[in-house]
Amino acid sequence: MRSTPAQRSGRPGLAALAGLVSAGLALAVTEIVAAFGGAGAPSVVSAVGNRMVDALAASLKDLAVALFGTGDKVALLVGIVV
């Protein structure tokens, strides 16, 4: 079995950190592009959030509102980003 570069270097934690930083940077770039893209261009986070809300059953939406109250949208966005 071949080993990956992260296994050969003995630093899998560093490879994981590089992946997280890359994902964060990609998300930041898409948000910036959406911000300058005009009013018709939704951000990636809000687009994913809207799709999740549309896909969830009404009972799950009601549960989220019951758990988080008026902060249900914020909890959804935090869950998407994290």
Side-chain angles (χ1 to χ4, degrees):
M1 182 188 286
R2 298 178 66 185
S3 61
T4 65
Q7 291 169 332
R8 287 191 297 266
S9 71
R11 297 182 182 209
L14 188 58
L17 178 63
L20 287 173
V21 169
S22 298
L25 182 61
L27 183 60
V29 168
T30 60
E31 292 295 311
I32 291 170
V33 168
F36 291 112
S43 73
V44 172
V45 174
S46 65
V48 170
N50 288 336
R51 292 288 292 200
M52 288 181 68
V53 168
D54 291 342
L56 293 176
S59 61
L60 290 177
K61 287 188 221 176
D62 293 340
L63 176 64
V65 171
L67 288 174
F68 301 110
T70 58
D72 61 332
K73 300 275 187 202
V74 174
L76 175 65
L77 293 176
V78 169
I80 291 169
V81 173
V82 174

